[in-house]
Amino acid sequence: MPIIELEEITRIYRTSAVAVEALKGIDLEVKERDFLAIMGPSGSGKSTLMNILGCLDKPTSGSYRLDEEDVSKFSRNRLARTRNQALGFVFQSFHLLPRTTALENVELPLLYREEGLSWKEIHRRAREALESVGLGDRLDHTPNQLSGGQKQRVAVARALVTRPRVLLADEPTGNLDTRTSLEIMDIVQRLNDDGLTILMVTHESEVARFAERVVTLRDGLIESDERTESLSARRELERWLAQAESKADQRTRKSAELKEVPEAEEVAI
Amino acid sequence: MKWSAVPYVAVRALTKNTMRTVLTALGIIIGVGAVITMVGLGQGAAAEVEEQVNRLGQNVVLVFPGERQLGGVSIGGGSANTLTVEDALALQEEIPEVVAASPEVRSQRVIVHGNRNWHTRVYGQSADYLQIRQWPLESGEMFTHEHVGRAALVAVVGQTIVEELFEGADPIGQTIRVRGLPLEVIGVLSRKGMSLMGSVQDDIVIIPYTTGFQRVSGRTHAMVINVQVYNQESMGIARAKMEDLLRERHRLAPDQPNDFTIQTQEEVAQAATETSRVMTWLLASIAGISLFVGGIGIMNVMLVSVTERTREVGLRLAVGARGPDVLLQFLIEAVILCVLGGIGGIVFGILSTEVIARYAGWPALFSVEAMIVAVSVSAAVGLFFGFYPAWKASRLDPIVALRRE
């Protein structure tokens, strides 16, 4: 049973002068537990597609079925509810509220929940979500006290706290270095292993290798749709760490050698 | 959705940025503070006026010479020479409702005691004057009708005279000189404070009117006749009888206007409170303008903050906030700002009223109504001026808002 079904989705941006056809007819089926990477050069329509998939935007024509409901006919408020209940978002630039603790950032989606949860339940779920991304000891830290990787992990926790059906990640590693990128991808892969459907937009093929299926867009149409053997982020991370360690070893050896020289001179005197 | 969620979010948003919150509320603090200060001072002044009207005496009617326009509050006057001592005596003897009548003659004189001198007002009055004015003595005694009858050289002095001329020492039995005329001080008046016109009433020397007319002022006619009526109820009748009697005594034909003016204590009070009421309104409306400006300040900051917080709004929308949730959040923020500002303004208003009252010597009165009104007005200001920015925030497109850097 596909969790997402797109049929003939088009999206046309109209300004007074011109009409830009960003999507020209997209058909896409995503099964539950899929890990899909959406690739394409800039201007290919991948952001537009992501907005529609994320219920932030409505298609000009075509139908979008999310969990067997035709989302393309939903009102603004109904879309807001769908975003809150069925979807989790992770953005390139984290989008954490400044001056607000990690815990409160993660609680945010629960505050807008349709059925009211008790404050106790809200706190409990947020804490659990942060613990699941390894930030159980950073609950009271504000974004400016966190590293980039930690911020993105808070954002992942915020996306997970509502127990969504689909996680939408828009260039999740775009602002991160190699090591933290691998850490984030490791978390995402583990979530996928636990049964979460994942849609990830990226323009880096490096990152797309961690997905099980890669959809490439070009000029508003799907150019290719391939299943691939996914790379394990964990293994990549271990390899990277081992390399880094040997490099660090070399460096300490070098500095140790350098240190020996003045010592030798001391002896000479 | 949880009902407390949006208010909670609004409160958190305000506490996250204390500096912005305080600065925004400052406009309202000053506005509300100004309203409370102005109304407080205005009402204090009104109460003071009322108090002073009461201090005028009990059931007092004043008769001025000449025709004066209605509503003229000036208790000075004496623009014509139409009232005589005999008029005063006739009022007292022929009208049963009149308890006492004192013809008044004033002059500004330098009085001397030893090597000190002081410029003051010397009043010629009858022996009943202190009873009319309800003005008790602090020590000594008032001169009597017998003193008045023989134009005795005696005087009753106010507190200012005791301080300035006698340096606080007991003046009873001492002699003061007015134009070389020696007057024996036989009584000291208790302190009375400011008059309606703002003069110090304690700066006074009272002597028998006979002495006043003959030896001090050189005048022949009374400047005012202070009349005391039996009670409040007989005021109207007494007034009518007084008018008839004086017209008859002055031989005025029916078509001639009065050559005197009768004013009851109430009329003086009305004119005075009217003036202070106008003053209060004037002050309050000036303060109201500053409250309005404070409201515009709130709108300004809220608008800027909507722009500044575009990404925040975008995120809230993305994680499931609906437009109305965002609208409500920003509205609540604005109202909280204004109510906090209102409470701060009350504190500020009370403090500044105290300070002004202390240093400028103005009386002040705190009115709970003014505080309630000021705070509810400021909450309304918050709603009114907070609505547009809040509406703007709620209309943001999440995609655009999220992409904004």
Side-chain angles (χ1 to χ4, degrees):
Chain A
M1 178 56 66
I3 191 166
I4 288 173
E5 265 185 291
L6 299 183
E7 265 175 54
E8 283 297 311
I9 291 285
T10 68
R11 180 69 173 96
I12 300 167
Y13 293 107
R14 284 177 210 282
T15 59
S16 52
V18 284
V20 179
E21 230 180 326
L23 297 177
K24 295 174 180 167
I26 302 279
D27 293 300
L28 185 69
E29 262 191 29
V30 180
K31 289 195 186 61
E32 221 170 333
R33 309 179 71 112
D34 245 354
F35 185 172
L36 193 82
I38 300 170
M39 292 199 62
S42 44
S44 60
K46 61 182 194 298
S47 290
T48 308
L49 181 60
M50 196 64 168
N51 289 339
I52 289 173
L53 286 168
C55 293
L56 292 163
D57 196 7
K58 286 199 214 180
T60 310
S61 71
S63 86
Y64 169 19
R65 297 174 70 79
L66 174 65
D67 226 2
E68 293 173 48
E69 278 188 300
D70 193 351
V71 175
S72 49
K73 301 212 163 43
F74 277 10
S75 68
R76 274 174 75 107
N77 286 352
R78 191 77 199 280
L79 282 176
R81 207 169 97 191
T82 308
R83 288 198 293 273
N84 183 265
Q85 293 181 340
L87 305 172
F89 291 89
V90 177
F91 306 95
Q92 177 177 1
S93 47
F94 320 132
H95 279 296
L96 299 181
L97 296 186
R99 291 182 282 271
T100 305
T101 64
L103 193 68
E104 281 182 283
N105 263 297
V106 174
E107 284 169 0
L108 191 66
L110 294 179
L111 298 180
Y112 294 113
R113 255 267 127 103
E114 187 85 358
E115 76 279 12
L117 298 170
S118 71
W119 285 110
K120 222 174 147 185
E121 179 69 6
I122 289 175
H123 296 319
R124 193 182 63 76
R125 286 200 195 178
R127 184 174 295 121
E128 274 179 14
L130 277 167
E131 279 162 1
S132 77
V133 296
L135 286 178
D137 56 340
R138 294 278 192 281
L139 300 180
D140 293 330
H141 289 224
T142 56
N144 58 0
Q145 297 168 325
L146 297 171
S147 69
Q150 287 169 333
K151 280 186 216 173
Q152 195 60 301
R153 279 194 270 166
V154 172
V156 170
R158 182 180 61 197
L160 294 179
V161 77
T162 56
R163 296 170 189 160
R165 307 275 288 134
V166 178
L167 180 74
L168 292 150
D170 189 358
E171 304 272 10
T173 59
N175 279 349
L176 302 176
D177 61 31
T178 314
R179 180 185 165 167
T180 39
S181 293
L182 290 171
E183 282 170 0
I184 294 295
M185 290 320 299
D186 177 39
I187 291 173
V188 172
Q189 277 189 336
R190 275 196 286 126
L191 292 170
N192 182 236
D193 291 342
D194 292 344
L196 188 63
T197 310
I198 290 163
L199 296 180
M200 177 174 74
V201 167
T202 181
H203 64 268
E204 292 173 79
S205 46
E206 294 272 305
V207 178
R209 285 183 305 160
F210 297 110
E212 292 162 350
R213 182 180 163 196
V214 178
V215 172
T216 311
L217 294 186
R218 183 172 290 275
D219 299 330
L221 287 167
I222 292 180
E223 190 186 53
S224 69
D225 185 350
E226 297 161 340
R227 288 215 163 260
T228 59
E229 194 59 39
S230 70
L231 213 61
S232 161
R234 171 140 297 261
R235 217 167 298 140
E236 287 296 301
L237 183 60
E238 278 161 8
R239 220 167 64 196
W240 189 90
L241 286 175
Q243 261 177 23
E245 208 173 311
S246 68
K247 266 186 206 155
D249 276 355
Q250 278 171 17
R251 220 171 306 139
T252 46
R253 215 171 299 138
K254 233 176 231 168
S255 67
E257 280 166 16
L258 282 172
K259 255 186 203 157
E260 275 167 20
V261 180
E263 269 173 22
E265 275 176 4
E266 261 177 29
V267 173
I269 295 164
Chain B
M1 201 170 74
K2 212 173 165 54
W3 70 267
S4 54
V6 171
Y8 168 80
V9 161
V11 171
R12 294 304 287 165
L14 288 175
T15 50
K16 298 289 180 220
N17 207 331
T18 330
M19 193 64 180
R20 186 179 65 203
T21 304
V22 170
L23 285 177
T24 313
L26 198 59
I28 294 294
I29 291 177
I30 291 171
V32 170
V35 168
I36 286 172
T37 310
M38 294 302 156
V39 171
L41 291 176
Q43 289 191 331
E48 181 74 4
V49 165
E50 204 168 306
E51 166 85 16
Q52 280 168 356
V53 169
N54 290 336
R55 265 190 258 156
L56 216 55
Q58 213 168 30
N59 306 325
V60 171
V61 178
L62 301 174
V63 185
F64 299 94
E67 191 184 22
R68 286 149 46 104
Q69 291 301 306
L70 207 88
V73 212
S74 171
I75 300 171
S79 52
N81 290 331
T82 56
L83 294 177
T84 61
V85 173
E86 289 69 34
D87 284 337
L89 296 176
L91 287 173
Q92 183 162 1
E93 275 156 27
E94 292 178 30
I95 302 174
E97 286 83 359
V98 171
V99 179
S102 172
E104 176 175 314
V105 57
R106 281 191 307 273
S107 36
Q108 301 272 344
R109 290 289 180 264
V110 174
I111 56 173
V112 184
H113 172 73
N115 58 358
R116 294 181 73 84
N117 61 67
W118 183 247
H119 190 80
T120 187
R121 286 162 306 178
V122 180
Y123 279 63
Q125 298 282 9
S126 85
D128 296 324
Y129 180 65
L130 295 188
Q131 183 210 323
I132 297 171
R133 291 288 310 270
Q134 298 282 301
W135 196 346
L137 283 167
E138 191 183 77
S139 63
E141 54 199 16
M142 181 61 175
F143 50 80
T144 61
H145 289 288
E146 189 265 330
H147 283 122
V148 175
R150 61 180 169 89
L153 297 179
V154 290
V156 171
V157 298
Q159 290 288 336
T160 308
I161 309 300
V162 177
E163 284 154 21
E164 296 296 336
L165 213 55
F166 295 96
E167 293 171 89
D170 180 17
I172 306 264
Q174 301 285 322
T175 302
I176 55 173
R177 285 176 181 278
V178 181
R179 289 176 132 186
L181 190 71
L183 297 171
E184 189 195 345
V185 177
I186 58 166
V188 176
L189 294 161
S190 62
R191 189 172 292 282
K192 194 128 183 166
M194 296 272 207
S195 82
L196 283 177
M197 315 324 292
S199 61
V200 181
Q201 298 186 84
D202 298 310
D203 191 2
I204 192 172
V205 173
I206 303 175
I207 58 175
Y209 67 85
T210 43
T211 318
F213 278 119
Q214 295 162 18
R215 316 287 293 267
V216 178
S217 76
R219 284 173 177 267
T220 52
H221 287 79
M223 296 160 90
V224 182
I225 301 176
N226 299 287
V227 179
Q228 186 175 31
V229 176
Y230 177 62
N231 61 17
Q232 188 77 33
E233 288 70 38
S234 50
M235 199 73 112
I237 308 164
R239 190 201 158 112
K241 285 186 181 173
M242 284 163 69
E243 189 170 350
D244 287 346
L245 180 66
L246 287 174
R247 282 187 70 88
E248 191 190 308
R249 287 183 57 85
H250 295 181
R251 301 202 170 78
L252 297 173
D255 56 334
Q256 273 181 293
N258 290 347
D259 59 357
F260 56 89
T261 306
I262 301 176
Q263 267 190 337
T264 64
Q265 194 179 352
E266 277 168 351
E267 285 163 353
V268 176
Q270 263 172 19
T273 45
E274 179 65 21
T275 312
S276 71
R277 217 168 55 86
V278 168
M279 195 65 185
T280 306
W281 270 109
L282 198 74
L283 291 171
S285 47
I286 292 169
I289 290 170
S290 72
L291 188 57
F292 185 75
V293 172
I296 293 177
I298 291 243
M299 176 155 79
N300 201 350
V301 174
M302 292 299 289
L303 273 177
V304 171
S305 113
V306 167
T307 316
E308 186 191 273
R309 290 159 69 187
T310 301
R311 277 157 57 90
E312 174 196 325
V313 173
L315 175 79
R316 288 182 189 281
L317 293 169
V319 300
R322 297 162 307 148
D325 297 334
V326 173
L327 179 85
L328 191 61
Q329 178 193 337
F330 276 77
L331 267 188
I332 291 175
E333 282 183 34
V335 171
I336 289 177
L337 276 174
C338 284
V339 171
L340 279 183
I343 293 165
I346 288 178
V347 175
F348 171 69
I350 289 174
L351 286 179
S352 67
T353 312
E354 280 291 338
V355 169
I356 292 175
R358 185 153 308 164
Y359 288 98
W362 277 31
L365 206 75
F366 299 114
S367 106
V368 179
E369 289 101 314
M371 291 178 195
I372 293 169
V373 167
V375 172
S376 20
V377 164
S378 63
V381 161
L383 268 179
F384 182 76
F385 289 107
F387 188 82
Y388 176 64
W391 179 79
K392 236 185 122 179
S394 73
R395 298 287 301 167
L396 280 173
D397 180 350
I399 302 166
V400 177
L402 283 170
R403 295 260 177 272
R404 183 83 61 87
E405 285 309 316

